[in-house]
Amino acid sequence: EVQLVESGGGLVQPGGSLRLSCATSGFTFNTYWMIWVRQAPGKGLEWVASIKPDGSETYYVDSVKGRFTISRDNAKDTLFLQMNSLRVEDTAVYYCTGAPPSHDWGQGTLVTVSS
Amino acid sequence: SYVLTQPPSMSVAPGQTARITCGGNNIRSKNVHWYQQEPGQAPVLVVYDSTDRPSGIPERFSGSNSGNTATLTISRVEAGDEADYYCQVWDRSTDWLFGGGTKLTVL
């Protein structure tokens, strides 16, 4: 059974940092592109970042470029999202999933950026 | 940059057919994925590559893609189909892109 479990969310002040983790199991993690998707309260889904299986290529939505870094540890089947210089508009539930079509999703972790 | 357009909402009576559209320039040239999301839950893939259905998804869910419009069709709609539905494509200008979502209400 495929499992993805996000963690690391919480309340942070504007300008602060958080590191999200996504522990995975049940599939060959090191062969899959992985992505982060977020959903602001009451809003739609938004792709945030993608990473190649070997970690050699990464891509970001324009609004997070230079502030967020996606990475992975294939030895531990874990995906990360380092979020720096957080803004109020980054408030959202963050999901990790395999690159589309995304058959399996985690439950999400809530990031709240507020003073 | 590429844009996907979905109607914000639609309503349908139980037993009827819901057709949720996703508009995009020459979208027929792209693989379109569709997700269902119930309140407070993670999205669920219901159609991928425009017309294919994942295992476990009822045959009532089907997809088509032609011209500038992709369509998710839900036949014999049930109360449990009430949810938000999102289309998704990949484009070189935007990487992975979601439509704005359609809230389906079952009357």
Side-chain angles (χ1 to χ4, degrees):
Chain A
E1 179 191 8
V2 173
Q3 289 195 330
L4 303 101
V5 180
E6 302 94 339
S7 61
L11 175 64
V12 62
Q13 292 187 337
S17 298
L18 278 178
R19 190 192 196 203
L20 306 184
S21 299
C22 174
T24 75
S25 61
F27 66 104
T28 311
F29 180 75
N30 62 9
T31 64
Y32 281 82
W33 280 80
M34 296 294 295
I35 69 172
W36 287 96
V37 172
R38 68 183 177 183
Q39 186 170 36
K43 302 298 184 181
L45 300 171
E46 180 183 40
W47 165 78
V48 174
S50 301
I51 187 167
K52 197 175 179 180
D54 65 359
S56 62
E57 294 180 29
T58 57
Y59 301 91
Y60 301 91
V61 67
D62 285 348
S63 60
V64 309
K65 283 179 181 176
R67 301 188 299 121
F68 289 12
T69 302
I70 187 172
S71 62
R72 62 195 299 161
D73 183 340
N74 285 344
K76 296 183 178 180
D77 295 343
T78 302
L79 181 71
F80 302 102
L81 186 67
Q82 177 67 44
M83 304 186 296
N84 299 331
S85 303
L86 282 161
R87 305 169 179 168
V88 171
E89 55 265 34
D90 295 319
T91 295
V93 174
Y94 286 73
Y95 297 98
C96 72
T97 183
S102 304
H103 292 260
D104 302 287
W105 295 66
Q107 83 289 347
T109 187
L110 176 62
V111 172
T112 303
V113 185
S114 174
S115 55
Chain B
S1 61
Y2 200 78
V3 176
L4 292 175
T5 302
Q6 296 184 240
S9 64
M10 65 178 304
S11 58
V12 62
Q16 300 303 304
T17 298
R19 294 180 179 84
I20 301 172
T21 59
C22 177
N25 184 39
N26 196 32
I27 198 172
R28 67 175 182 175
S29 66
K30 301 183 181 297
N31 285 323
V32 182
H33 313 307
W34 289 93
Y35 300 89
Q36 175 194 65
Q37 187 182 34
E38 298 180 0
Q41 302 296 312
V44 173
L45 181 69
V46 293
V47 167
Y48 67 98
D49 293 349
S50 299
T51 59
D52 293 338
R53 194 173 49 251
S55 61
I57 299 301
E59 293 183 5
R60 301 184 298 105
F61 288 81
S62 63
S64 61
N65 191 3
S66 177
N68 294 318
T69 304
T71 303
L72 173 68
T73 300
I74 309 173
S75 303
R76 302 179 300 283
V77 166
E78 303 173 355
D81 298 331
E82 189 163 286
D84 295 325
Y85 292 84
Y86 296 90
C87 57
Q88 180 192 46
V89 302
W90 184 89
D91 183 82
R92 66 176 62 188
S93 68
T94 56
D95 211 301
W96 289 108
L97 178 67
F98 289 95
T102 299
K103 181 178 181 61
L104 177 67
T105 299
V106 180
L107 300 171

